[in-house]
Amino acid sequence: VSICEVLIIRTTGGISDAALDGDRQRLVTILVVMAIITLAKMLLVAARTWFEQRQSGLVSYRLRQSFATYLIAIPYRSLSAKNSGEALALFTNDLVQAAAVASSELFLFLSEMATLIVSGVFMVTMHPYLTLAFFSLFPPLAILQSRTSKPISALMDTAS
């Protein structure tokens, strides 16, 4: 999916060049290539979504099954001494959140990492020195942004 996104960005630059040159054949070819890349991206996103939802369901099922097995194995005396709402809240709230972290959040993280790697490789192939400048300036700019956003967020909290 990330590779398709970068390829679409790369071919978008060719459209303006073909339009400026008045090369209609090249313009049509670029548009067909973009349509094929977009179709491939749609298919890959559908496959990724299906796989992600399937894995999310499996993780949720296994967590609930493990919790139910644990709950059944607990002696009745220790179970009756505890609040029954605690186990119910754990089963309905915490297990759902744990399943989301173990599946959806993990897939999102991996997708973002793949996009970062593909974008970095694309940037290096386009212009290595500008990529080096970008990556060397990114940490100081991120620190500067985080330091300036803290006073602004404090002001926003006091204003509201």
Side-chain angles (χ1 to χ4, degrees), residues 2 14 24-25 28 31-32 36 44 59 80 87 106 110 124 155:
S2 302
R24 187 174 181 170
Q25 180 63 32
V28 169
L31 290 175
V32 168
I36 291 170
L44 290 171
V59 167
S80 63
L106 181 64
L110 293 175
V124 167
L155 287 173

Side-chain angles (χ1 to χ4, degrees), residues 83-109:
N83 183 3
S84 62
E86 182 180 335
L88 184 61
L90 180 68
F91 190 73
T92 57
N93 296 331
D94 297 342
L95 286 180
V96 173
Q97 290 178 356
V101 167
S103 59
S104 300
E105 299 289 328
L106 181 64
F107 276 106
L108 180 64
F109 174 73

Side-chain angles (χ1 to χ4, degrees), residues 55-75:
Q55 288 303 110
S56 177
L58 287 173
V59 167
S60 179
Y61 172 75
R62 287 187 182 144
L63 281 174
R64 288 174 187 264
Q65 183 183 25
S66 297
F67 181 74
T69 304
Y70 167 75
L71 201 58
I72 290 171
I74 293 177

Side-chain angles (χ1 to χ4, degrees), residues 132-146:
L132 179 65
F134 172 77
F135 282 119
S136 63
L137 291 175
F138 182 75
L141 290 175
I143 291 169
L144 178 67
Q145 191 274 334
S146 69

Side-chain angles (χ1 to χ4, degrees), residues 106-121:
L106 181 64
F107 276 106
L108 180 64
F109 174 73
L110 293 175
S111 176
E112 294 297 324
M113 288 302 297
T115 301
L116 177 68
I117 291 168
V118 169
S119 299
V121 169

